[in-house]
């Protein structure tokens, strides 16, 4: 069984430790834990995790957030991975910091990366692991907040939540979407 796990983020050192890059950060942590390396490939950095008889193709799109769908669509087709085996790890303002929510589908909720994936893959029917980044910003400062760096307090606890996200990713590939949602969406 093959899976495509997509971590959303923006390339470049100026975005590296920003809230918007939590998808990249989670996949980087997973790769570090499993001693995987990243390869620069077409439209994405890629890595392969073999886990309990499954192949998890990890990608970090190099298209910038707003064009993430180009990479997702390309790798789905190239690897012949059906949409039900795609999982997108994405930041979410609507969830409190560190809250994780696995969803089988849903709207982009204004997230430009998800909007582009919907446009280029034909709809909203793909799983997403929403990683709460909170919404602690003054009115009109959403972009600064999302593209801002984590606070020290957040950095101190981030590994706990990233490890839980990694558990959810591997569970998605082994026990499936429904059981993973039942176990972790509390």
């Amino acid at each position: 069984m093959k899976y495509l796990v997509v971590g959303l983020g923006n390339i470049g050192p100026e975005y590296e430790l920003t809230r918007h890059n939590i998808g990249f950060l989670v996949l980087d942590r997973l790769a570090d834990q499993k001693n995987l390396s990243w390869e620069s490939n077409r439209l994405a950095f890629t890595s392969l995790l073999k886990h309990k008889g499954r192949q998890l193709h990890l990608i970090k799109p190099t298209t910038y957030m707003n064009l993430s769908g180009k990479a997702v669509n390309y790798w789905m087709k190239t690897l012949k991975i059906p949409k039900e085996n795609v999982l997108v790890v994405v930041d979410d303002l609507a969830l409190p910091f560190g809250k994780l929510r696995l969803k089988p589908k849903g709207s982009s909720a204004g997230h430009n990366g998800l909007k582009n994936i919907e446009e280029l893959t034909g709809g909203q029917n793909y799983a997403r692991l929403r990683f709460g980044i909170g919404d602690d910003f003054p009115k009109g400062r959403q972009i600064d907040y999302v593209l801002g760096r984590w606070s020290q307090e957040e950095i101190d606890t981030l590994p706990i939540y990233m490890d839980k996200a990694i558990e959810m990713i591997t569970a998605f590939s082994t026990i499936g979407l429904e059981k993973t949602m039942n176990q972790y969406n509390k």
Side-chain angles (χ1 to χ4, degrees):
M1 292 276 277
K2 291 196 289 190
Y3 294 84
L4 185 65
V5 181
V6 183
L8 294 188
N10 283 308
I11 56 170
E14 67 273 30
Y15 298 109
E16 202 169 314
L17 292 174
T18 63
R19 292 178 180 92
H20 216 25
N21 270 33
I22 191 60
F24 279 16
L25 293 171
V26 168
L27 292 193
D28 283 339
R29 186 165 176 89
L30 172 58
D32 287 347
Q33 288 177 354
K34 302 294 184 182
N35 294 315
L36 304 175
S37 57
W38 292 100
E39 288 181 29
S40 181
N41 274 305
R42 184 155 179 215
L43 303 175
F45 292 109
T46 63
S47 193
L48 175 63
L49 170 62
K50 293 182 179 178
H51 179 74
K52 296 187 177 180
R54 271 86 169 160
Q55 291 183 7
L56 281 72
H57 293 270
L58 311 178
I59 71 167
K60 299 187 303 180
T62 54
T63 55
Y64 286 100
M65 184 70 78
N66 296 355
L67 299 175
S68 298
K70 284 176 71 171
V72 174
N73 192 43
Y74 173 80
W75 286 101
M76 278 176 64
K77 287 181 174 165
T78 299
L79 297 168
K80 296 178 176 52
I81 295 177
K83 210 186 252 191
E84 59 269 15
N85 287 5
V86 173
L87 176 61
V88 177
V89 183
V90 61
D91 61 295
D92 195 318
L93 283 166
L95 294 174
F97 170 71
K99 181 87 172 161
L100 296 162
R101 180 75 63 223
L102 182 63
K103 303 287 272 185
K105 61 183 178 191
S107 80
S108 66
H111 193 289
N112 291 327
L114 295 180
K115 266 188 214 167
N116 192 250
I117 292 169
E118 288 170 17
E119 288 168 16
L120 297 179
T121 64
Q124 303 173 350
N125 319 349
Y126 59 89
R128 71 266 334 254
L129 176 53
R130 297 166 47 211
F131 193 112
I133 62 170
D135 62 357
D136 188 21
F137 57 90
K139 189 172 175 70
R141 307 299 300 191
Q142 177 176 328
I143 292 172
D144 295 335
Y145 179 77
V146 168
L147 293 177
R149 300 205 179 272
W150 302 96
S151 71
Q152 188 57 53
E153 186 180 333
E154 290 169 330
I155 287 172
D156 292 343
T157 55
L158 206 49
I160 296 163
Y161 302 120
M162 292 194 314
D163 288 346
K164 186 175 176 193
I166 289 167
E167 283 178 31
M168 293 171 78
I169 290 166
T170 55
F172 170 80
S173 71
T174 53
I175 63 173
L177 178 67
E178 293 298 323
K179 285 183 180 169
T180 304
M181 286 170 49
N182 290 339
Q183 186 172 334
Y184 289 96
N185 285 357
K186 293 183 166 79

